[in-house]
């Protein structure tokens, strides 16, 4: 049976002999290994098929506009303009998607290199919010609290992670909404608590666990209501990988039509003289 198992027929399992001996234990172990391999393999296949599916739409649109341009572009200035703008925008979306796919592929292959160092979290927060303010013209983006704290982290991916939460907060909050960022020091827990809160469309209870899955997007009708152009559903899977690499825990509190709050617990990298006595480990 073992010899017959291959990539195309991974659902086969070895029959476990009834006697509880080394042979049955070996069969069990082997079957468990196959379970894990099969799961990983199926995940990979789904990933490839989802990715291809996502790339199909922009390519179709680009081809459509190229045809339009070929036929009318030379004579009709309006079509020319519209065609160029649309092709550019679709190509940008594709580029964005490809960057995200490459990031996840590198992460899966453990080739995504992190350069960790001692960094001031408050500076990273300041920086990320300042940049988001420049682009989110229709929302109020503010820092509520930003207490000092040094963490051991890769600044580039930390920035990327903050941007993912901020972009989502803006994207899933209708124009005129508010986004508040707070970073608090919790020395008794040896960590910083960084929160991104918005008063946007919120996340349904049943979606809460799934939003970190690759390509998962909650109900698109509601998403459209917020006036967004949609996304790929990869942002939070990238964020959760980055969090994992930094031993950061992510929690979500959300209510439909009220808003969403992402709470990140980030380990502090300092020895706080005043409270080392009651710290564990
Ligand atoms: P992209 O890959 O471009 O970020 P995305 O925003 O759809 O696409 P994620 O960032 O992974 O993907 O988010 C997954 C889903 O979680 C979103 O589609 C949305 O339904 C939900 N979501 C995430 N953040 C919020 C938020 N702040 N408010 C409401 N829903 C949210
Ligand atoms: Mg997103």
């Amino acid at each position: 049976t073992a010899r017959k198992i291959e990539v195309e027929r991974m659902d086969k399992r070895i029959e476990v002999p009834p006697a509880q001996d080394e042979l049955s234990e070996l069969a069990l172990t082997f079957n468990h290994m196959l379970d894990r391999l099969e799961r990983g393999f199926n995940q990979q296949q789904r990933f490839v098929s989802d990715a291809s599916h996502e790339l199909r739409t922009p390519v179709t649109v680009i081809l459509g506009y190229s045809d339009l341009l070929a036929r009318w572009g030379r004579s009709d200035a309006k079509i020319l303009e519209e065609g160029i703008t649309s092709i550019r925008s679709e190509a940008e979306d594709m580029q964005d998607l490809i960057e995200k796919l490459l990031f996840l592929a590198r992460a899966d292959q453990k080739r995504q290199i992190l350069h960790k160092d001692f960094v001031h979290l408050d500076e990273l927060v300041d920086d990320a919010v300042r940049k988001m303010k420049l682009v989110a013209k229709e929302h109020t983006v503010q820092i509520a609290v930003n207490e000092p704290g040094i963490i051991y982290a890769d600044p580039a991916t930390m920035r990327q992670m903050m941007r993912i939460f901020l972009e989502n907060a803006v994207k899933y909050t209708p124009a005129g909404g508010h986004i508040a960022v707070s970073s608090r020091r919790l020395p008794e827990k040896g960590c910083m608590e960084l929160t991104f809160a918005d008063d946007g469309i919120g996340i349904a209870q049943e979606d809460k666990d799934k939003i970190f899955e690759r390509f998962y997007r909650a109900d698109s009708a509601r998403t459209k209501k917020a006036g967004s152009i949609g996304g790929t559903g990869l942002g939070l899977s990238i964020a959760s990988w980055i969090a994992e690499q930094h031993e950061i825990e992510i929690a979500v509190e959300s209510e439909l039509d009220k808003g969403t709050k992402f709470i990140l617990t980030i380990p502090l990298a300092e020895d706080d003289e005043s409270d080392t006595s009651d710290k564990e480990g």
Side-chain angles (χ1 to χ4, degrees):
T1 313
R3 211 176 290 139
K4 278 195 191 125
I5 294 168
E6 38 192 324
V7 178
E8 282 83 27
R9 307 181 57 187
M10 258 201 190
D11 51 343
K12 264 193 168 323
R13 292 295 178 271
I14 290 180
E15 211 173 298
V16 182
Q20 294 217 346
D21 53 12
E22 284 103 332
L23 206 60
S24 71
E25 199 169 307
L26 185 66
L28 270 177
T29 313
F30 189 80
N31 284 347
H32 283 156
M33 181 188 77
L34 275 175
D35 288 346
R36 288 195 302 276
L37 282 176
E38 194 184 11
R39 222 175 301 136
F41 187 71
N42 288 342
Q43 263 168 19
Q44 277 303 311
Q45 276 191 329
R46 204 180 50 211
F47 185 58
V48 171
S49 112
D50 286 346
S52 319
H53 199 82
E54 287 294 327
L55 283 166
R56 198 186 237 166
T57 318
V59 172
T60 309
V61 176
I62 288 176
L63 283 175
Y65 273 107
S66 321
D67 287 346
L68 203 69
L69 283 180
R71 232 177 286 168
W72 312 104
R74 273 172 281 263
S75 53
D76 191 327
K78 213 172 136 223
I79 286 184
L80 184 67
E81 179 65 36
E82 189 193 326
I84 293 171
T85 315
S86 305
I87 287 177
R88 168 138 202 119
S89 138
E90 291 298 321
E92 275 171 1
D93 285 355
M94 255 168 91
Q95 190 176 42
D96 181 58
L97 174 61
I98 291 167
E99 287 306 321
K100 285 176 182 158
L101 291 173
L102 282 174
F103 184 98
L104 287 168
R106 278 198 302 268
D108 287 347
Q109 296 170 357
K110 303 195 168 31
R111 280 194 295 117
Q112 184 68 50
I113 298 158
L114 301 181
H115 300 283
K116 289 192 188 173
D117 205 343
F118 296 96
V119 286
H120 291 274
L121 180 65
D122 41 310
E123 286 173 13
L124 292 179
V125 171
D126 267 336
D127 203 42
V129 172
R130 190 171 40 80
K131 283 189 184 129
M132 193 43 69
K133 275 184 178 174
L134 293 177
V135 276
K137 292 265 159 54
E138 292 171 338
H139 296 79
T140 316
V141 186
Q142 269 173 333
I143 295 182
V145 210
N146 194 6
E147 295 177 357
I150 294 172
I151 58 168
Y152 188 63
D154 171 53
T157 48
M158 281 298 288
R159 283 200 180 90
Q160 189 179 357
M161 183 176 72
M162 289 185 198
R163 196 171 57 235
I164 288 168
F165 287 110
L166 285 169
E167 271 177 4
N168 280 348
V170 170
K171 193 153 84 170
Y172 302 111
T173 301
H178 304 78
I179 290 115
V181 181
S182 317
S183 180
R184 286 194 178 80
R185 211 185 154 79
L186 304 178
E188 69 284 357
K189 286 190 185 160
C191 66
M192 298 293 291
E193 190 181 79
L194 174 61
T195 62
F196 300 89
D198 63 58
D199 53 4
I201 62 172
I203 302 166
Q205 189 61 36
E206 67 264 26
D207 287 327
K208 258 190 219 166
D209 297 331
K210 300 190 194 133
I211 53 172
F212 293 96
E213 287 172 17
R214 291 178 185 185
F215 294 109
Y216 190 84
R217 268 172 286 179
D219 181 16
S220 56
R222 280 193 323 108
T223 311
K224 280 223 182 72
K225 208 172 68 188
S228 78
I229 19 105
T232 58
L234 290 176
L236 287 180
S237 23
I238 292 176
S240 73
W241 183 85
I242 297 172
E244 219 172 89
Q245 300 305 308
H246 291 91
E247 281 158 46
I248 295 171
E249 275 171 37
I250 306 176
V252 197
E253 287 171 6
S254 186
E255 206 178 321
L256 280 182
D257 296 320
K258 290 259 163 62
T260 303
K261 190 175 180 182
F262 282 93
I263 304 151
L264 276 63
T265 310
I266 311 172
L268 271 167
E270 338 162 345
D271 268 336
D272 212 320
E273 296 284 279
S274 55
D275 67 287
T276 38
S277 53
D278 54 27
K279 218 189 267 175
E280 294 173 32

